[in-house]
Every structure is written in C-alpha cells, then in structure tokens.
C-alpha cells in the first residue's frame, strides 16, 4: 500500500493492500491481495468459542496468520477474542501476522484498512456493537463508498506484522499449540508447491495444532485432499478448520 505524504492535514491513500493484483514482468497474474474484516468463509463466533474450549488448559497458544494482507483478518480475530473472550484472550495474543508481499506489510504497519458498509456491519456484529473501542473511522478521500479504519493502540498491540515466506517459516513454527492461518492463497501455488506445503504442514505440526484455510482454497485448488493425505481432517463443527489426527 502506497501512502502519499501528509499534506494540508490529511492523507490520500493511493491504493489499498486489500484490493491489489500482483503481476509478473510478463503481465501474468501472480496473486491478488483481496481481504476484508471478518471474511465470511469463517464462522467467527463458533471459531473463537472452539479455540477457547480446545485450549482451555493451555497457558499459551501460538496464532500465526500467513498471507495476512493489510491485517484485516488478524485484527478481526483479535477483536472477536477481546470482545467475547476477554478472560481467555491473553493466551492467544498477540497474533503473529506475516505476508510475502512487502507492500502488504508496509500497509499493515501503517494501520490503514479500507472498509465499506458490509465491513462495518460485520465488525459491529462481531464486537457486540463496540467497534469504536478498537477502530477509528476516518474519511476516505478517494471514495465516497468506503471509509478508512485505523486500529487503536489497544488493538494494534495485539498483532505483530512481519514479512515472511511460509515455506521458510514452517521450519520454525512451534509444533504444538499452534493455530496456523494459511488462507486463500493455495490456488496461486503450483501443484508441486501445494503438495510440498501440505507435506511440510503434516510433518511439522503436532496433534494440538490447527490449520485454517478459506473457501477460495477449497473451490480453486485440491487443498482439502492434500491436507487429508497428510494427516489432517476437517473439524465437523467448525468450517475450514483442519486438525491433525496424530
């Protein structure tokens, strides 16, 4: 995300990391950075209830979010945990959010996320109508259909952003008590790389860890069969959440 310098006491975002297309030098699409708050391929209330139940006797849980784009998704999880599971949220936070794309991480660290009316509705719903406890709405000078949401310090400190490659980072991810978001990028990987990543996840993660994917992955790739082949099964009650069998 590129941000112009502040001028006349306001900023003008040039574009947002939640809606970019990245092409190679031949003009071929490599990936998109599409994201938004409380993306509807997860049932956020059931998910957070499940996490708190699964790890009720665990002192610390490692939540790692790869392909985090501008941070809307890890911020969504952090807000939901703080709003509905205040007593348990400490063991899950801060979330470590990573992305391969330098601009995405730069955007995330700036703390500026675009939101439209649908985003506002979801944020309000999943935070008990207290989204202003976590986010500051600001005018969008490039669009009258959306606003900019800036995280307050209470939320910003709950997510740490780093640039990272999941194929390298998987070697150092804690084996147990890890919740790994690797959502909505599998279709952009070659068949060979999808097989390699699923194999690495199967060998590196233990039974107490989880892998979370997205609908885009299921619809546009063979990720479900690859995870099944490598020792995972989808939780029957929590959509897109995959557990290690042993």
């Amino acid at each position: 995300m590129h941000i112009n310098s502040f001028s006349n006491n306001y900023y003008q975002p040039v574009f947002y990391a939640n809606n970019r297309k990245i092409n190679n030098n031949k003009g071929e699409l490599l990936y998109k950075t599409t994201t938004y708050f409380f993306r509807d391929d997860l049932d956020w209330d059931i998910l957070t209830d499940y996490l708190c139940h699964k790890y009720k006797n665990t002192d610390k849980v490692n939540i790692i979010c790869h392909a985090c784009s501008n941070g809307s998704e890890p911020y969504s999880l952090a807000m939901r945990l703080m709003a509905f599971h205040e007593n348990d949220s400490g063991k899950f936070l801060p979330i470590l959010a990573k992305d391969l794309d330098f601009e995405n991480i730069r955007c995330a660290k700036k703390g500026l996320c675009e939101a439209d009316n649908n985003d506002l509705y979801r944020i309000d719903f999943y935070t008990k109508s207290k989204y202003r406890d976590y986010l500051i709405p600001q005018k969008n000078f490039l669009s009258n259909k959306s606003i900019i949401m800036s995280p307050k310090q209470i939320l910003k400190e709950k997510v740490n952003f780093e640039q990272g490659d999941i194929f390298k980072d998987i070697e150092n991810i804690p084996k147990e008590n890890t919740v790994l978001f690797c959502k909505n990028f599998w279709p952009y990987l070659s068949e060979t790389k999808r097989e390699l990543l699923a194999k690495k996840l199967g060998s590196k993660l233990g039974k107490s860890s989880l892998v979370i994917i997205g609908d885009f992955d299921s619809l546009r790739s063979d990720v479900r069969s690859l995870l099944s082949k490598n020792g995972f099964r989808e939780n029957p009650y929590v959509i897109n959440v995959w557990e290690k069998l042993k």
Side-chain angles (χ1 to χ4, degrees):
M1 176 177 177
H2 293 303
I3 304 292
N4 284 344
S5 298
F6 278 73
S7 176
N8 297 326
N9 297 320
Y10 68 89
Y11 61 84
Q12 291 183 307
V14 176
F15 62 85
Y16 301 103
N18 60 330
N19 191 25
R20 290 193 295 127
K21 294 180 180 179
I22 310 302
N23 300 320
N24 62 19
N25 55 13
K26 296 180 180 179
E28 300 167 333
L29 179 67
L30 293 176
Y31 56 89
K32 297 179 182 179
T33 64
T34 305
T35 190
Y36 47 89
F37 287 100
F38 292 103
R39 193 163 178 161
D40 50 11
D41 56 0
L42 289 178
D43 192 325
W44 293 90
D45 51 354
I46 293 179
L47 171 62
T48 50
D49 287 349
Y50 169 70
L51 292 179
C52 289
H53 175 74
K54 178 177 177 64
Y55 297 108
K56 62 183 178 180
N57 296 319
T58 304
D59 293 332
K60 177 59 182 173
V61 181
N62 313 291
I63 299 187
I64 304 171
C65 179
H66 266 275
C68 68
S69 192
N70 67 357
S72 295
E73 193 148 68
Y75 280 141
S76 295
L77 180 58
M79 284 190 288
R80 179 68 187 184
L81 286 168
M82 288 190 289
F84 280 84
H85 302 279
E86 183 178 2
N87 293 334
D88 294 321
S89 64
K91 69 172 68 178
F92 299 103
L93 304 172
I95 297 168
L96 178 57
K98 295 194 173 191
D99 200 286
L100 187 65
D101 191 293
F102 170 79
E103 289 295 333
N104 283 352
I105 295 301
R106 190 165 76 92
C107 168
K109 288 182 176 180
K110 288 281 188 179
L112 301 174
C113 302
E114 191 174 23
D116 60 18
N117 286 335
N118 291 325
D119 287 288
L120 294 178
Y121 173 82
R122 289 191 302 272
I123 296 168
D124 200 49
F125 177 81
Y126 284 114
T127 61
K128 296 193 291 190
S129 301
K130 294 181 179 179
Y131 78 87
R132 288 179 181 270
D133 289 352
Y134 310 108
L135 296 164
I136 303 170
Q138 304 179 37
K139 185 176 181 180
N140 185 347
F141 289 93
L142 294 185
S143 172
N144 58 9
K145 296 181 180 179
S146 63
I147 62 175
I148 304 301
M149 304 298 284
S150 179
K152 289 186 174 182
Q153 186 60 30
I154 191 175
L155 177 60
K156 196 170 185 178
E157 66 189 15
K158 299 301 190 295
V159 183
N160 295 328
F161 293 101
E162 296 178 5
Q163 189 175 6
D165 182 340
I166 192 170
F167 284 92
K168 297 177 181 177
D169 291 344
I170 190 65
E171 302 297 331
N172 300 313
I173 288 176
K175 182 179 181 68
E176 301 295 344
N177 301 318
T178 289
V179 179
L180 180 61
F181 282 68
C182 42
K183 292 183 60 205
N184 298 316
F185 65 78
W186 291 78
Y188 300 127
L189 303 177
S190 67
E191 180 179 352
T192 300
K193 284 198 168 185
R194 290 197 302 272
E195 291 176 350
L196 176 60
L197 180 55
K199 185 176 181 180
K200 282 181 173 289
L201 293 176
S203 64
K204 296 296 182 180
L205 295 179
K207 190 174 181 180
S208 64
S209 293
L210 302 171
V211 168
I212 299 180
I213 63 171
D215 283 351
F216 179 64
D217 302 312
S218 296
L219 292 172
R220 300 292 183 89
S221 78
D222 53 352
V223 61
R224 299 173 68 87
S225 62
L226 290 174
L227 289 176
S228 296
K229 186 189 302 184
N230 286 279
F232 294 89
R233 69 164 185 178
E234 186 173 17
N235 185 287
Y237 307 107
V238 194
I239 187 171
N240 286 329
V241 174
W242 288 73
E243 306 168 320
K244 275 296 293 294
L245 293 176
K246 59 182 180 179

